[in-house]
Amino acid sequence: MNNFLLYKNKVLTFSKLIGLSSIGTTVQLLTSLITGKIIAVFFGSAGLVMVGQLSNMITIGTNLTSLGSRFGFVKIASRDSSKIFRKEMYSVLSFYLLLVGYFFSIIFIIFSKFLSSYYLLDEKYMSIVFLLALTLPLVNLFTLLNSVLNGFQNFTKQVKINIVASILKFSPLLLVFFIETDTYLLLLLIIIGNVFVGSYALIYGIV
């Protein structure tokens, strides 16, 4: 009887996780499709290209600032799943990522003119690169948070924060319906969306 109840609880938990994962995937897909549509309608193919290039820069930046630490956390986390250990590890790695992140941010700032010309095809976007450099460590905290939850196999919370993150990342783009925009503002809104996500990860980790 006890085995049957245990099996039943596992099945229910697994079913809830599948349902929640489906919702999360749907939200991420919808926000991505709507984002692409908004950019295509308001900014054309040039806007899509610029956002793609900015996304490449963000990916490179987050990979540099993490230095593989998030993958090491999963291995460490598997040894100890206590709440105190989780808080301590998240705090230590957050500090580490912010410290290393701002080191690479300085590199980005120094080469902002080159990065603007190479990735964004114009030196006038130097300030965008500058802002991106300042926010990279914060953005990387979201990746760390995902790794923390994955390391402790807390998949339900992981799906939930990804749903919230998708909405936060998408929300700044709604401003294009109310104000006059250009490509510069588009890139700025993309960065703001990522800052929302990073700030959410920071607050979530503190709480």
Side-chain angles (χ1 to χ4, degrees):
M1 184 66 177
N2 289 333
N3 289 335
F4 174 75
L5 290 175
L6 182 62
Y7 175 77
K8 183 179 179 181
N9 288 334
K10 287 183 177 180
V11 170
L12 288 174
T13 301
F14 185 67
S15 299
K16 288 179 181 179
L17 181 59
I18 291 178
L20 190 59
S21 297
S22 300
I23 295 173
T25 301
T26 301
V27 171
Q28 289 178 335
L29 181 61
L30 285 175
T31 52
S32 295
L33 289 174
I34 296 173
T35 296
K37 188 65 175 178
I38 289 175
I39 295 172
V41 170
F42 285 88
F43 305 95
S45 58
L48 292 171
V49 171
M50 295 293 284
V51 170
Q53 292 293 86
L54 181 63
S55 298
N56 289 336
M57 290 181 62
I58 293 173
T59 301
I60 292 172
T62 52
N63 286 336
L64 285 173
T65 54
S66 69
L67 292 176
S69 60
R70 60 182 184 272
F71 301 111
F73 179 85
V74 175
K75 183 178 180 180
I76 296 172
S78 63
R79 302 173 186 169
D80 191 335
S81 58
S82 66
K83 186 175 181 180
I84 295 176
F85 177 79
R86 182 176 70 236
K87 287 287 186 181
E88 288 178 348
M89 282 301 301
Y90 187 78
S91 297
V92 170
L93 284 177
S94 294
F95 177 77
Y96 166 79
L97 287 178
L98 288 172
L99 187 64
V100 176
Y102 280 115
F103 170 78
F104 282 102
S105 292
I106 293 173
I107 303 299
F108 265 61
I109 291 172
I110 293 173
F111 293 98
S112 59
K113 183 176 181 179
F114 167 77
L115 292 172
S116 179
S117 299
Y118 184 80
Y119 282 99
L120 304 179
L121 311 177
D122 199 314
E123 292 181 4
K124 71 179 181 180
Y125 298 112
M126 281 180 60
S127 56
I128 290 292
V129 178
F130 186 90
L131 290 173
L132 175 62
L134 293 177
T135 58
L136 271 178
L138 186 61
V139 173
N140 205 41
L141 288 180
F142 177 72
T143 305
L144 172 62
L145 179 59
N146 261 307
S147 300
V148 169
L149 296 176
N150 184 55
F152 290 106
Q153 298 184 349
N154 198 334
F155 302 119
T156 300
K157 283 188 177 180
Q158 187 176 11
V159 172
K160 287 180 179 179
I161 69 163
N162 277 289
I163 292 174
V164 175
S166 295
I167 296 172
L168 288 174
K169 190 175 182 178
F170 164 75
S171 59
L173 280 176
L174 295 176
L175 284 175
V176 301
F177 291 102
F178 306 102
I179 59 177
E180 186 176 349
T181 57
D182 55 14
T183 306
Y184 182 93
L185 183 58
L186 169 64
L187 299 179
L188 182 60
L189 292 176
I190 297 295
I191 292 176
I192 292 173
N194 280 283
V195 171
F196 283 173
V197 173
S199 300
Y200 170 64
L202 179 62
I203 294 170
Y204 188 97
I206 293 174
V207 176

